[in-house]
Amino acid sequence: MKIAIFGGTGDLGRGLAICFAAAGHEIIVGSRSQERADQAADGLREALPDGKFVPMENVAAAEAGEVAVVSIPWEGIEATIPALADALSGKVLISVVNALKFGKAGAIAVQGDELPGGAQSCAHKIQELAPEAKVVVAYNNLPAAGLQERHHLGADVLVCGKSKEARDTVIALTNDLPGCRGLDAGPLANALIIEGMTALVINMNKRYGGEASIAITGLENAPPAPAAAGH
Ligand SMILES: NC(=O)c1ccc[n+]([C@@H]2O[C@H](COP(=O)([O-])OP(=O)(O)OC[C@H]3O[C@@H](n4cnc5c(N)ncnc54)[C@H](OP(=O)(O)O)[C@@H]3O)[C@@H](O)[C@H]2O)c1
């Protein structure tokens, strides 16, 4: 599949790009700047010589991708998404975006009026700005460094979105990430919970070291949980 990643120049975008490309997907490396996209694609080819990485500005990337990932800081949503909305119409649009702030006590999930435009979550704001896209939240809690190193994470990826078909598309893609299992966690209404959990993951990493992921136990009819290995 052709997967466009807006912010494919950044830490998480690079991790997803390497893992998806290793699974055989073509990655459109999106950026606000063609030059940064070119540089990022060069770096990705160094990391994975067999991978297919095509650098483009974000708008061209939105047009070229069959599925797209928004992998930018939450402060950039309102400046970035409107220009991409037309090209994303009818496509699955994965939001990995978390609104977090960092204080002395640790990472804290931004909520309520502090979210962009007072939206219910980052994913809701993205859906509002790209109304014809099928927005799905996923990968919000995965570690960028572990993905870049293609660690077998042993992680469950909680997937929320309005359309079940879109959630199923993302779950299938997730199973291409090393040691990851996609789980259907229901409607987009719960996106803020997934986004906010990243604050807890960051605080646990700080307290205990390592790269935590989320794992769900006790499901009877889900695919087997992946075991962590390769750290
Ligand atoms: N890092 C992680 O481990 C991790 C894990 C899970 C989820 N996330 C989430 O994933 C998203 C990306 O995280 P990251 O660590 O990869 O971020 P990042 O490296 O700081 O930024 C990613 C890319 O976003 C673009 N960007 C930066 N500021 C922007 C702005 N104001 N408007 C539009 N684009 C902007 C830049 O690309 P160009 O300059 O090339 O356009 C940058 O390379 C965040 O929302 C984060 O919460 C991160």
Side-chain angles (χ1 to χ4, degrees), residues 134 136 159 161-171 184 186-187:
K134 297 174 189 168
V136 172
V159 176
K162 185 177 166 195
S163 147
K164 181 178 179 299
E165 189 192 351
R167 296 198 301 268
D168 283 345
T169 299
V170 177
I171 288 166
D184 189 340

Side-chain angles (χ1 to χ4, degrees), residues 6-13 30-33 36-37 58 70-77 79-80 96-100 139-145 198:
F6 314 125
T9 53
D11 285 337
L12 188 70
S31 169
R32 289 168 296 177
S33 133
R36 282 197 296 279
N58 285 331
V70 190
S71 186
I72 64 173
W74 63 287
E75 296 91 339
I77 292 174
T80 303
V96 306
V97 181
N98 302 312
L100 303 174
Y139 314 135
N140 304 64
N141 315 128
L142 293 182
T198 308

Side-chain angles (χ1 to χ4, degrees), residues 37-78:
D38 290 341
Q39 285 168 358
D42 288 345
L44 287 162
R45 281 184 213 106
E46 262 175 49
L48 190 75
D50 291 341
K52 189 154 190 206
F53 303 103
V54 183
M56 291 187 188
E57 285 189 23
N58 285 331
V59 175
E63 285 162 2
E66 295 166 291
V67 166
V69 182
V70 190
S71 186
I72 64 173
W74 63 287
E75 296 91 339
I77 292 174
E78 286 172 296

